[in-house]
Amino acid sequence: MSKTFKIGGIHPHDNKISVNAAIEDFPVMERAFISMSQHLGAPAEPVVVKGDKVKTGQLIAKSSGFISANVHSSVSGTVHSIEMMPDLAGNLAQHIVINVEGDEWMEGIDRSPEIMREIILSSQEIIDRIAQCGVVGLGGAAFPTHIKLSPPPGKKAEFLLVNGAECEPYLTSDYRIMVENSEEILIGVKLMMSALGVKKSYLGIEENKPKAIKRMKEIASKGYPEIKIVSLKKRYPQGGEKQLIDAIVGRQVPSMGLPIDVGVVVQNVGTALAVYEAVQKNKPLFEGVVTVTGKCMPEQRNFRMRVGTTFESMIFAVGGFPKGAEKLVSGGPMMGKAVSRIEAASVKSTSALLLLTEEETKRGEESNCIRCAKCVDACPMGLEPYLLNRLSRANRLEDLEENMVHDCIECGSCLYVCPADIPLLDTIRLSKGKVLKIIRSRPKK
Amino acid sequence: MTATIIFTIASLTILGLVLALILYFTAQKFKVVEDPRIDEVETILPGANCGGCGYTGCRAFAEGCVNSESMDGLFCPVGGNDVMKKVAEYLGRTVAEKVPQVAVVRCNGNCDSRPKSNNYDGYTSCAVMASLYAGDTDCRYGCLGQGDCELSCEFDAIKMNPRTGLPEVDEEKCTACGACVKACPKMIIELRNKGPKGKRIFVSCINKDKGGVARKACAVACIGCTKCQKVCAYDAITITSNLAYIDYNKCKLCRKCVVECPTNAIWEVNFPVRVPKKVVAEVEKQ
Ligand code: SF4
Ligand code: SF4
Ligand code: SF4
Ligand code: SF4
């Protein structure tokens, strides 16, 4: 029996048209633009200066502050400049620009395809190695992984949940690595388990990926009995932390709480692979799998791509702008971000570049709410989006807090189902920000 | 039979009297004394209930006036000095005259000078758009053009101009209540002194990027070149993070900076039209 979360959820068409495209290496670009703000928290601080020669995998910026992560060069060459450049949303971030010369890797990075199964490091050593290699969560939020693996004092993790749901339509990067790098992922999971000191782990995969489930189960049964592969029903937003915890272990994360409050840590399969490469192969996180897809595209591709590749070069690598492409999205159509500057570069957590046509992106004309309550049914957090929308427009912050606007995970399910095309998430997101600010500014008890 | 009727009338009368007495004493005991002046002050106020004074409405403002010691910090932007004088007179106080102000839009990047680099197809709201990204032009500071300011104005004084994509303020209607200032997520609108006969000079740009970056994004951006600062004899211009700002209390309206600005980012309003120097020179030649 497949599992799933209890409330809400929708079933968008999964459009996984790039499933059968095996991962190929993306050609290394001429110039890499490496952002210092690729993770949640404080931007990294550059440790190289203009004119320095760097090698692939060399540390070029150091984590600054408690929540931050190291950044490594994804190419070898000369530092051209360190400057403020727009990210995909047009907001400025510090970037290190590197002119590529050849592709010389740092010594010590194990590039052989051999699988390193033996775990020799202690839990603290594993966490340190993960921190050094700048691994961040690849499920979307890019939270530094070493912090998530060191629960605050007084809190103890019981389970590690690994998210292989990939519930977003179009995305296939996680699927591809589950099929092609299955054992590496399981070793990564084992490493994280030993870092956390937990005995049991679950890896959830949605039913629409039978091949991945089969392969993972096969390998897990051979040598990884502590990792249970769980088949999940196809339902969006299964990959949301709170939804996944509900689906697999049936626990509810309290409002404003973290998974660790119910004894769970959630990581993504991509992160597991990055952890494996960091710890067993000494390879910092500087490349990842990116799906380049869209119905208007002549071909669907999955690339292993260096961090700092511009969206422009991704499009040109697949034959230029296809006819009818209207909108570029980094990530999936539900929670991805529109790319407003094609000269912006990819970051560690970039999982896809999706091209949509006008037909696919068009929003309907907004009309009045007909009280069909479809949005209430769809909301996986049990909220009442139609009400939150009205309260948001009237800026009634107290009522909004009472109605738990701060619990919204911005999944967009409500907006997806609304027959009146009301911009529910747009207005809710605004007031969520305001309410969260108020809550956080209150003195802690 | 008659006895019953008499008994009923008598008992009800007594009951009524007793209850009336109880009610009378309770009313006396818990009487709320409201200052009758509040009602009076409220009638003097314009009754727009716009909140421009910082209170929730005209009644709350009237209460605030009556309950405070002096008139400091109390001002109804809609009624202006006249109304405040009347209120002060009624309350037997004095009030300092406030210089009339007006909302000023500090962005002049229209469709020609600030070309679009992408299309926004989301919900029509500046606040929503600002929460999503930096905007549909290369200027991260400029007007988003979705008209939140227009929506926020109770007096119909600020209107989007479809030709330029920028809001325009009708200075006759603007009461300087500050609603648009609060509504704009980009903090483009500022309340500035209206100036003598409405004459005023201001930098119509808030781009803090370095000159080259700002210029590339918008042809009429302030590039922080300091030319205006140097030409101003009254020290009215300060330049912080590549952006010039004119202090309206110091500016003597000499207009020197306006001609000096290489990008035409400084605006003059309500001055007589001047003949460009080039034309004058050419006319003289002939
Ligand atoms: S976006 Fe927020 S309100 Fe809408 S369905 Fe998702 S969690 Fe609920
Ligand atoms: S789905 Fe749309 S129309 Fe239906 S109740 Fe919710 S807001 Fe109203
Ligand atoms: S001035 Fe501000 S509120 Fe008005 S349209 Fe421009 S961005 Fe929106
Ligand atoms: S108009 Fe004259 S006084 Fe005013 S800021 Fe410009 S140069 Fe200075």
Side-chain angles (χ1 to χ4, degrees), chain A residues 204-218:
Chain A
I205 306 174
E206 281 194 348
E207 287 174 327
N208 59 349
K209 300 181 246 318
K211 243 173 145 181
I213 299 178
K214 199 167 147 246
R215 217 177 130 67
M216 281 294 193
K217 275 195 173 158
E218 235 172 67

Side-chain angles (χ1 to χ4, degrees), chain A residues 245-434:
Chain A
I245 295 171
D246 179 22
I248 299 182
V249 291
R251 297 188 182 175
Q252 315 301 328
V253 180
S255 170
M256 298 295 288
L258 291 170
I260 192 71
D261 297 335
V262 292
V264 181
V265 170
V266 182
Q267 295 286 2
N268 170 275
V269 285
T271 318
L273 183 58
V275 164
Y276 164 79
E277 289 182 334
V279 181
Q280 305 293 78
K281 297 269 186 183
N282 207 9
K283 180 182 159 203
L285 179 54
F286 59 77
E287 61 179 2
V289 179
V290 176
T291 305
V292 180
T293 183
K295 284 186 186 154
C296 51
M297 304 276 282
E299 331 165 26
Q300 315 297 326
R301 311 281 276 274
N302 290 299
F303 289 115
R304 177 164 290 114
M305 196 183 286
R306 305 281 170 91
V307 163
T309 308
T310 60
F311 291 105
E312 200 173 6
S313 57
M314 291 183 210
I315 297 167
F316 286 105
V318 293
F321 260 104
K323 234 180 115 197
E326 239 334 279
K327 192 173 198 165
L328 269 62
V329 182
S330 165
M334 298 299 294
M335 288 183 90
K337 279 206 117 191
V339 177
S340 66
R341 270 86 176 151
I342 53 166
E343 66 276 17
S346 70
V347 291
K348 292 174 185 172
S349 59
T350 304
S351 59
L353 174 66
L354 169 62
L355 279 88
L356 297 170
T357 59
E358 194 188 347
E359 186 60 30
E360 287 170 290
T361 59
K362 206 166 54 195
R363 281 203 192 194
E365 184 92 12
E366 181 186 351
S367 53
N368 291 334
C369 172
I370 53 168
R371 301 294 154 92
C372 63
K374 277 194 180 160
C375 53
V376 181
D377 273 345
C379 180
M381 296 305 295
L383 307 176
E384 293 171 86
Y386 76 95
L387 178 68
L388 296 178
N389 167 60
R390 278 184 42 205
L391 293 174
S392 301
R393 289 188 182 195
N395 206 20
R396 281 165 55 179
L397 299 179
E398 258 166 51
D399 295 333
L400 281 158
E401 187 182 345
E402 211 161 278
N403 283 289
M404 312 305 274
V405 71
H406 45 282
D407 272 357
C408 170
I409 58 167
E410 303 182 23
C411 66
S413 301
C414 48
L415 202 147
Y416 180 84
V417 294
C418 179
D421 285 313
I422 294 169
L424 296 161
L425 174 55
D426 292 319
T427 57
I428 293 173
R429 189 193 280 125
L430 267 188
S431 53
K432 175 188 164 185
K434 291 184 200 162

Side-chain angles (χ1 to χ4, degrees), chain B residues 251-264:
Chain B
C251 173
K252 295 275 188 296
L253 304 169
C254 74
R255 296 206 273 173
K256 279 205 184 115
C257 54
V258 182
V259 247
E260 200 62 28
C261 180
T263 60
N264 296 325

